[in-house]
Amino acid sequence: MTTVVEKPPQNAAGAAPQPLRADTMHVRVEELRRLRAEVHAGPGQRATEAQHARGKLTARERVELLLDEGSFTELESLRRHRATGFGLEDRRPHTDGVVTGWGTVEGRQVFVYAHDFRIFGGALGESHAAKIHKLMDLAEASGAPLVSLCDGAGARIQEGVTALAGYGGIFSRNARSSGVIPQISVILGPCAGGAAYSPALTDFTFMVRGVSQMFITGPDVVRAVTGERVSMDELGGADVHASVSGVAAFAYDDEVSCLQDVRYLLSYLPSNNRQAPPVLRGEDPAERRTDRLADLVPADPARGYDVREVIGELVDDGDFFETHPTWAANVVCALARIDGHVVGVIANQPLVSAGVLDIRASEKAARFVSLCDAFNIPLVTLLDVPGFLPGVEQEHNGIIRHGAKLLYAYCNATVPRIQLILRKAYGGAYIVMDSRSVGADLSFAWPTNEVAVMGAEGAANVVFRRRIAEADDPAEMRARMVQEYRSELMHPYYAAERGLVDDVIEPGETRAVLARALEMLRTKHRALPQRKHGITPL
């Protein structure tokens, strides 16, 4: 018996018609689009309005301001936590409170993560931390800067020790990437407890007045333990950390200008320690004369002036970016360009404490020197220093140890190093501020330079003490001995005669001399002894 099998009806093309199904690729794509829209919208309009009411932008608004338009690629936007207990199993929002991904700033790749305060107050849990860990690993592997936009309430208490372990993973990656890729922290809300240590491990910290607070223990704990009553801003606000503690390199009045300057800072930094910083040549000639400097800087070493004006005359278009401008202001540290190439400038500031070196100034300059050396940025040091600040407080607080940090940083630096002595350079401070004897490649001086163990007045009082005491007119004898000491040992060509200054130059030719010297040193290579690492005098 033959069984007849009926053929299914054929369509015009000869193929069997497909059954109508609701579950098609187009339906799935539409579902994905709706889900993405929900994720991007976040926890709702009320939460967004509450964030704006605090004077703060949302995480995604911040990312859009930081990166080039349309360049952001997000990672793990659909991630949700898997914790249970304390009601967490009923609250599992996508992103888990942090937006992560990469984009570009002026066309250069940058990785970024941004806490979303609208979700769990931006608190860090296991999944939240895992997203950040992955991003940090990608940034290190790709050799691109990492920017963290911090707006979180610390560890997620409901997740216990797993949240704390998440911070440990962040800290270890901060340390591993230190000096490998630029790391920038932008505090745009609370950053309390252990969370504050990640910004402390990064290269630069930005804060916004009235919005940012950073502290280890909050006002309530401080009041309970010490009895002191203090507000969050008074304890750890932007101005406190920018001017008192030195934790923040920059403070701003609003988020927009803050994020604009993060972009500006990135223009001075290489993507990683294997690259040179970006070269941006403008229309300012390298050979431009700087004759105005002769009027800016008084010949009298006792008179003050603003060294920032000197820096402005020397660098391209007068444009430079000063770090920690309100902390340890007796030394100026700035990123700038000379003939299009990035340089780090360290300069004593005669307007503040006569430019003397103290504990804070030593720490500030040491960190800046180390950062420039790590990222292949040549160093230009402008000297006008009367010495280290004397006093019981400085000695008891460790001026020797802290001053050694600056000395160690310079001695360890392998980038091109140029010293320029503007006026006085006395004692140990002269040595520490990148003298030839500690490894400066070149040293130049103006005809107003005075390089000596100490000022002529102090030196004369020591060297000629007996002659002054035995003189019929001690005051007249002291004046004569001061002049004699100055003419013998402090004349402007004394150091040059002994090879400790390469040349005495006119102020008007300074920019051209620096540009030529930096060009010559562009291919400098210096290898340090093989070692695991040196022992920094912390």
Side-chain angles (χ1 to χ4, degrees), residues 241-294:
H241 286 308
S243 303
V244 180
S245 74
V247 171
F250 311 98
Y252 297 86
D253 291 327
D254 60 85
E255 293 190 29
V256 175
S257 59
C258 175
L259 292 171
Q260 286 174 342
D261 265 6
V262 175
R263 289 175 58 92
Y264 182 50
L265 172 61
L266 286 167
S267 73
Y268 284 106
L269 302 175
S271 293
N272 55 66
N273 64 344
R274 301 183 302 277
Q275 298 180 4
V279 178
L280 297 175
R281 281 196 170 90
E283 298 181 358
D284 194 353
E287 299 291 320
R288 169 174 56 81
R289 286 194 60 85
T290 50
D291 293 308
R292 182 168 174 261
L293 292 173

Side-chain angles (χ1 to χ4, degrees), residues 453-469 478 481-482 485:
V453 175
M454 62 178 68
E457 290 77 8
N461 287 336
V462 173
V463 176
F464 306 112
R465 180 176 59 235
R466 179 173 296 179
R467 291 178 62 179
I468 292 172
R478 180 181 292 106
M481 292 300 99
V482 166
Y485 184 88

Side-chain angles (χ1 to χ4, degrees), residues 267-268 277-287 315-317 319 336-342 511 514-516 518-520 522:
S267 73
Y268 284 106
V279 178
L280 297 175
R281 281 196 170 90
E283 298 181 358
D284 194 353
E287 299 291 320
V315 303
D316 291 358
D317 304 308
D319 191 20
R337 283 186 169 84
I338 294 179
D339 194 23
H341 293 269
V342 177
R511 174 176 162 85
L514 291 177
R516 291 184 211 130
L518 289 166
E519 180 62 31
M520 180 273 292
R522 201 83 64 206

Side-chain angles (χ1 to χ4, degrees), residues 121-144:
L124 181 138
E126 180 189 28
S127 295
H128 182 123
K131 290 179 64 175
I132 296 175
H133 296 169
K134 179 175 183 177
L135 188 83
M136 296 178 78
D137 290 341
L138 285 171
E140 181 186 353
S142 302

